[in-house]
Amino acid sequence: MPELNLVLLGPPGSGKGTQGERLQEDLRLPYYATGDILRAAVREETELGRTAKEYMDRGDLVPDDVIVGVIAERIDTTEAADGFILDGFPRTLPQAEALAARLEELGRALTAVLLIDASDDEVVRRLGGRRTCEENGHVFHVEFNPPEKEGVCDIDGSPLVVRDDDEPDVIRHRLDQYHEKTEPLVDFYDHQSLLRRIDGTAAPDDVGIEVERTLATLRLEGDEAI
Ligand code: AP5
């Protein structure tokens, strides 16, 4: 397969970041998670961060015109020449259309969209116990994926914190936003035969195995198409 251009789609807390970290290591492709990019911009108090913060704190999506440029510039880089993994983008139909148009300009296309799905109740349970590494966004869960030492990231030793948008009322609002604005992308990509469904309710390792199987099938399909 010449290049692997992947999108991770799914509700908040379905495990996109957890699987994205594993995929990044396995595939050695650049991983662009818009939530992480925006949180870094907030920490660094850049113009992007100042714009995004009020939307993120409320659990609203940041405006399309703000986020589209952030991704458009990243996929047109040397490091993304062999492919990329997008997590959290696109999240609206206009974002999906802008991504398709940009890829077409570059003579490229998406390989697949992996939908990692979980119910609203599961999402609330997961995000309530999530702990996130302050420095690099590594993700843990107090029950399902606890760090070796409480409150400390296993990977880089940074403090683990509760994200501002993981408060119960904000989680509910993020879910509403997902159902209203992002879920239409499931049909959008299904109609283009790009969608691959992954059951996100299994244990993280089992979800990872299903993702690997899906990628192996994609490679086979890619080889057969050549
Ligand atoms: P973002 O950071 O992208 O948040 P999200 O999509 O809501 O996703 P999460 O990071 O909450 O969850 P996840 O699916 O990555 O799950 P995770 O692996 O952490 O976006 C934040 C905000 O930025 C948005 O609200 C918006 O304001 C803005 N934004 C970002 N992109 C945007 C865009 N394109 N347009 C506009 N605005 C944008 O897992 C969750 C927890 O569950 C963890 O504790 C984990 O350990 C645990 N877990 C994971 N998998 C399993 C499993 N299989 N079983 C049990 N527990 C599990």
Side-chain angles (χ1 to χ4, degrees):
M1 192 178 290
E3 51 183 75
L4 196 57
N5 302 327
L6 296 175
V7 167
L8 302 180
L9 182 66
S14 67
K16 303 180 298 295
T18 301
Q19 298 305 325
E21 269 184 32
R22 293 168 185 229
L23 271 179
Q24 182 187 16
E25 270 180 33
D26 291 350
L27 301 173
R28 305 209 169 274
L29 287 177
Y31 168 61
Y32 303 127
T34 39
D36 291 348
I37 293 168
L38 292 171
R39 278 184 291 279
V42 170
R43 275 199 306 278
E44 288 156 18
E45 298 182 6
T46 64
E47 197 184 330
L48 171 66
R50 280 192 290 276
T51 308
K53 187 174 177 359
E54 61 173 302
Y55 295 95
M56 296 174 81
D57 285 350
R58 287 197 304 263
D60 281 329
L61 298 184
V62 305
D64 291 334
D65 58 345
V66 172
I67 199 75
V68 163
V70 169
I71 288 300
E73 67 184 33
R74 281 174 170 79
I75 58 177
D76 188 16
T77 53
T78 317
E79 69 164 12
D82 291 335
F84 52 77
I85 306 162
L86 299 182
D87 170 357
F89 183 94
R91 236 172 169 111
T92 63
L93 279 172
Q95 290 181 20
E97 283 158 0
L99 175 64
R102 184 68 192 126
L103 286 171
E104 197 179 347
E105 278 168 18
L106 297 171
R108 305 173 68 174
L110 287 179
T111 312
V113 175
L114 307 185
L115 171 66
I116 302 181
D117 215 353
S119 69
D120 288 10
D121 286 347
E122 179 68 15
V123 163
V124 171
R125 222 156 58 94
R126 286 185 187 181
L127 295 185
R130 173 162 62 183
R131 298 294 179 269
T132 306
C133 149
E134 208 169 27
E135 208 53 49
N136 293 304
H138 301 122
V139 178
F140 298 85
H141 192 282
V142 289
E143 189 185 339
F144 308 128
N145 180 24
E148 276 171 26
K149 190 171 167 209
E150 199 183 318
V152 179
C153 177
D154 291 352
I155 301 163
D156 60 25
S158 306
L160 296 178
V161 296
V162 176
R163 261 170 52 176
D164 290 342
D165 59 352
D166 278 349
E167 299 300 333
D169 53 336
V170 184
I171 293 171
R172 284 283 169 204
H173 186 63
R174 285 162 62 201
L175 273 167
D176 290 344
Q177 292 278 291
Y178 173 77
H179 292 305
E180 183 192 338
K181 296 181 178 157
T182 309
E183 216 166 22
L185 295 184
V186 173
D187 278 348
F188 178 81
Y189 285 124
D190 203 14
H191 285 139
Q192 298 173 41
S193 302
L194 286 171
L195 195 79
R196 300 289 183 280
R197 292 173 192 270
I198 310 280
D199 176 10
T201 60
D205 285 348
D206 294 330
V207 177
I209 290 169
E210 205 184 326
V211 169
E212 280 170 25
R213 279 200 196 115
T214 304
L215 292 180
T217 308
L218 279 171
R219 283 201 188 88
L220 274 178
E221 288 170 3
D223 287 347
E224 280 165 14
I226 292 171

